[in-house]
Amino acid sequence: FDDIAQCFYFMGKFNEAYEFIDKAIEIERDSEMPMVRKGQFLEYQGRVKEAVEQYQLTAQEFPTVEFARNKVIELSKIL
């Protein structure tokens, strides 16, 4: 579902991308990648506040994911 979401995102079909990434998050509970990817989708669309919130959720769920923690710091400077 994560890969399908990414394909839809790159095709500009954002509603479908978010539908599939949310499904990936739901079924891949042991993987941080779908959560990170959703943060990236939001960030790339300029939805910075929502991206920060998503990266924060990712960091809470997966404390060892340095990428998410760094993105929270980086994007919080923009807000």
Side-chain angles (χ1 to χ4, degrees):
F1 286 94
D2 186 7
D3 290 339
I4 294 169
Q6 189 172 4
C7 289
F8 275 122
Y9 187 85
F10 288 129
M11 292 186 329
K13 296 184 177 192
F14 303 125
N15 290 336
E16 292 89 342
Y18 285 108
E19 182 180 323
F20 276 90
I21 204 63
D22 287 340
K23 185 67 172 173
I25 289 169
E26 180 184 322
I27 63 175
E28 296 179 39
R29 298 302 309 161
D30 60 340
S31 174
E32 77 279 357
M33 198 61 235
M35 294 183 79
V36 167
R37 181 108 49 225
K38 185 173 183 177
Q40 290 172 320
F41 289 174
L42 293 163
E43 180 182 355
Y44 298 157
Q45 285 188 294
R47 297 164 63 180
V48 177
K49 183 176 185 255
E50 293 169 277
V52 169
E53 291 169 358
Q54 181 60 41
Y55 288 131
Q56 286 173 328
L57 287 173
T58 306
Q60 289 170 1
E61 186 78 22
F62 299 95
T64 61
V65 178
E66 191 173 322
F67 179 82
R69 290 192 321 268
N70 289 340
K71 279 296 189 176
V72 169
I73 293 166
E74 173 190 332
L75 295 176
S76 292
K77 293 175 184 177
I78 296 172
L79 294 177

